[in-house]
Amino acid sequence: MSDTSILVLVGSLRAGSTNRQLAEAAVGVAPEGVDVTIFEGLGDLPFYNEDIDVEGSVPAAATKFREAVAAADAVLVATPEHNGTIPAVLKNAIDWASRPFGASPISGKPVSVIGSAYGQFGGVWAQDEARKSFGIAGASVLEEIKLSIPGSVVRFAELHPKDDAEVAAQLADVVRDVAAAVSAEVAA
């Protein structure tokens, strides 16, 4: 049996983003048989516009993104919270993944949402909004597989999440649980 592939979408474009660091840590804690890959290029997606989403002329960045989502067994999202909701780059990615209607690459795909934010609740509003949007887009949202890390600016000021034993263990659980959800879906 081939490895389970999990594609990670990072809802922040900032190079030093703690959510980017969470994604990097998730790659590092993946157990044997689970391939975790960060998608590079969300910032290259043009704003979704049905006028440019036409067969034969879909922007290359959107085609690359849709192919990556389609090829993955599951999607793990690491998102910050922007003004109480999801970042525009993540919402745009969901819009691209939700099309073409009836044949989208996100349809039925297991999706888990995690994240870190400066505030005391760790970005739960953004995570809830992301789950809602992915669900409406047709994904199979893994509601019970969550991780919210508050106080990111302080907690990770001098420590990468991969070097925080508690966070690394929690991420390992998330990755394992997402892979198990894929296996359960395949077996069903």
Side-chain angles (χ1 to χ4, degrees), residues 62-157:
T63 298
K64 175 185 170 196
F65 173 64
R66 285 176 172 162
E67 288 172 350
V69 171
D73 295 313
V75 174
L76 176 63
V77 179
T79 187
E81 189 170 274
H82 289 184
N83 297 314
T85 192
I86 60 177
V89 70
L90 181 57
K91 177 61 172 83
N92 190 46
I94 295 167
D95 291 344
W96 277 107
S98 73
R99 298 282 190 254
F101 184 76
S104 75
I106 202 67
S107 183
K109 185 87 51 182
V111 174
S112 177
V113 182
I114 65 170
S116 181
Y118 176 74
Q120 65 180 339
F121 301 112
V124 294
W125 288 351
Q127 292 172 41
D128 288 346
E129 290 292 321
R131 285 184 198 92
K132 173 185 170 188
S133 194
F134 272 107
I136 292 169
S140 176
V141 178
L142 304 171
E143 295 283 351
E144 301 305 313
I145 304 174
K146 310 176 177 191
L147 177 59
S148 301
I149 303 168
S152 61
V153 172
V154 175
R155 182 163 191 162
F156 303 125

